[in-house]
Amino acid sequence: MPLVSPKLLRATVIALVLILIVALWQFQSNTFQQLSHLNHINGNGDNGNINENGASSSLTAVAAGTIDWSRFAYVQYVTNTAYLCNSVMLFEILNRLQSKADRLLMYPSSFSVDTEDDSTESKLLRKARDEYKVKLVPILVQSRSGGDSTWAESYTKLLAFNQTQYDRVLSLDSDSTILQTMDELFLLPSAPVGMPRAYWLNFAEPVLSSQLVLIQPSEFEFKRVMDAISSASSRDYDMEIVNNLYKDSAFILPHRPYNLITGEFRSKQHSDYMGNSEEQWDPEKILHEAKFLHFSDWPVPKPWVPASPSVIQGKQPTCDMNLVTGHEDNCRARDIWLGFYDDFARRRMYLSERESDAR
Ligand SMILES: *[C@@H]1O[C@H](CO)[C@@H](O)[C@H](O)[C@H]1NC(C)=O
């Protein structure tokens, strides 16, 4: 007589197989949950192809839900009141869109955050800190006399390399609008610097744009940057410095969707932005996929500077031929472009109205 009856043996085998199937099924459904979490991190998930190329360690952390977002920050720098206002407007957007990384504002140490101080600067700083969860870091504005005054203080941006309390920061120019969060950029493979191309510049050699820079702060890189500033020629500003230092080692962030300029909607030539000459330019589609939009419309002034109606009239995007009606009444690009300036003005107004009762 065998130790175990064939019947019992068969029952045991079937039970084991069943247990194995259930275990496998559970493992799979966990994986699915992790993947949907990944989509969530990518914002609305419709152009989230960045993470799939990301470092496997980041992917593992995403999957396990163990990302420590406080190691990352969106960073802005401020040199004067107008730009402080712009920065607070961007932080308002990040707060509204519930971005996950920290928010850091480098502001001139001459500004005060004292409750007693009722200057515009002081109120805006407190508002950023208290309502938009912004960490405030006082700094000395880095400047150089001579040259173009618009850019003379742009070196200050490079102090982001000194924010070594973070593993990675995303520096955004504040004369811009954020259309979608960009948290996924913090999970890209390690590199000192990542930047998009200045796709609108038609040089023989591609130039990197410093409007959006992904930085791994470090003492070593900060020293390199500071040395480059002190030996820079009078025509070299932040963009030249980062290009000189990093053009051959930075990884290139796709300018589509991370670095759209408003002037694209006035342009008649879109293949540089699109990345190919076959795809149809569709202003609504491009707006929908874009994440970061920079105001750049020379000779139309920056959106907080009053523009004469004749400049707007003369420089706004034209209406295109409507293939259905046969008239030039396709004004989608114009409507979208005017909408950028309108949206900026409304947010600016909102901030200055609220600023008067901020404490
Ligand atoms: C760089 O960071 C250190 C540590 O926070 C600080 O002491 C120093 O003043 C910073 N340097 C500049 C130029 O801001």
Side-chain angles (χ1 to χ4, degrees):
M1 175 117 188
L3 212 57
V4 184
S5 75
K7 248 188 185 160
L8 186 59
L9 188 66
R10 201 165 49 204
T12 312
V13 168
I14 289 173
L16 279 175
V17 166
L18 278 177
I19 288 171
L20 196 69
I21 288 173
V22 169
L24 268 177
W25 179 75
Q26 281 222 329
F27 173 78
Q28 273 216 342
S29 71
N30 274 345
T31 313
F32 278 130
Q33 270 175 15
Q34 287 158 0
L35 285 179
S36 64
H37 183 51
L38 190 70
N39 273 338
H40 189 64
I41 296 240
N42 263 331
N44 54 20
D46 59 8
N47 45 27
N49 43 18
I50 290 291
N51 276 338
E52 283 158 23
N53 312 327
S56 61
S57 64
S58 300
L59 276 183
T60 314
V62 174
T66 54
I67 295 173
D68 179 1
W69 290 101
S70 70
R71 293 186 295 123
F72 310 126
Y74 292 88
V75 60
Q76 305 264 312
Y77 77 104
V78 160
T79 56
N80 61 38
T81 311
Y83 277 83
L84 174 58
C85 209
N86 292 342
S87 284
V88 176
M89 286 165 68
L90 283 196
F91 285 128
E92 184 276 322
I93 299 177
L94 286 171
N95 187 60
R96 179 155 39 88
L97 299 180
Q98 301 181 311
S99 64
K100 294 190 174 67
D102 272 10
R103 297 163 200 145
L104 183 79
L105 179 62
M106 306 187 291
Y107 71 99
S109 52
S110 56
F111 291 178
S112 146
V113 283
D114 272 0
T115 324
E116 267 88 89
D117 189 334
D118 64 359
S119 65
T120 301
E121 296 82 23
S122 192
K123 281 180 188 165
L124 282 172
L125 286 172
R126 291 197 299 271
K127 186 180 185 64
R129 183 192 62 193
D130 300 339
E131 290 182 35
Y132 306 140
K133 307 182 197 85
V134 176
K135 300 208 157 69
L136 303 176
V137 173
I139 45 108
L140 275 181
V141 171
Q142 308 288 304
S143 64
R144 195 185 44 206
S145 47
D148 184 338
S149 67
T150 319
W151 308 110
E153 297 180 332
S154 69
Y155 300 122
T156 311
K157 183 193 299 182
L158 303 176
L159 292 180
F161 283 88
N162 195 29
Q163 304 308 311
T164 51
Q165 69 275 33
Y166 289 101
D167 289 354
R168 199 166 229 176
V169 298
L170 183 64
S171 165
L172 302 172
D173 276 7
S174 64
D175 43 353
S176 309
T177 295
I178 294 170
L179 302 167
Q180 297 179 51
T181 65
M182 292 169 275
D183 289 324
E184 69 279 3
L185 294 183
F186 295 108
L187 308 178
L188 286 171
S190 178
V193 162
M195 281 185 280
R197 290 207 174 91
Y199 73 90
W200 57 93
L201 293 180
N202 218 351
F203 290 148
E205 233 181 86
V207 177
L208 302 174
S209 159
S210 58
Q211 289 167 186
L212 180 146
V213 193
L214 187 65
I215 297 169
Q216 286 176 184
S218 79
E219 239 174 78
F220 177 78
E221 297 296 341
F222 182 54
K223 183 172 182 311
R224 290 184 70 209
V225 166
M226 292 308 265
D227 289 349
I229 292 176
S230 56
S231 63
S233 82
S234 63
R235 299 183 59 191
D236 284 352
Y237 298 104
D238 63 295
M239 181 152 144
E240 286 73 21
I241 286 173
V242 288
N243 270 278
N244 290 342
L245 288 176
Y246 299 109
K247 71 173 185 301
D248 296 326
S249 62
F251 63 72
I252 309 296
L253 300 171
H255 60 256
R256 174 184 175 185
Y258 292 106
N259 202 18
L260 177 60
I261 62 171
T262 49
E264 188 66 27
F265 292 81
R266 293 164 54 207
S267 174
K268 295 288 168 214
Q269 189 276 101
H270 299 289
S271 55
D272 289 338
Y273 182 75
M274 303 298 271
N276 66 76
S277 48
E278 290 88 53
E279 204 175 340
Q280 189 75 32
W281 160 254
D282 176 342
E284 268 140 20
K285 179 177 170 220
I286 291 301
L287 172 63
H288 185 71
E289 68 178 27
K291 298 198 166 196
F292 184 69
L293 174 76
H294 190 255
F295 283 97
S296 180
D297 271 310
W298 194 88
V300 178
K302 295 288 185 183
W304 60 94
V305 177
S308 73
S310 68
V311 169
I312 300 284
Q313 281 287 317
K315 300 298 171 189
Q316 66 186 357
T318 57
C319 294
D320 298 327
M321 178 64 79
N322 183 333
L323 296 179
V324 177
T325 64
H327 298 295
E328 295 199 334
D329 60 359
N330 173 3
C331 303
R332 292 183 307 156
R334 172 183 293 184
D335 293 344
I336 289 172
W337 185 86
L338 289 171
F340 296 145
Y341 284 85
D342 196 51
D343 170 68
F344 186 95
R346 274 190 297 106
R347 287 185 293 110
R348 187 74 151 202
M349 183 82 85
Y350 171 80
L351 195 63
S352 58
E353 277 168 4
R354 301 277 311 283
E355 180 237 301
S356 50
D357 50 55
R359 277 260 51 93

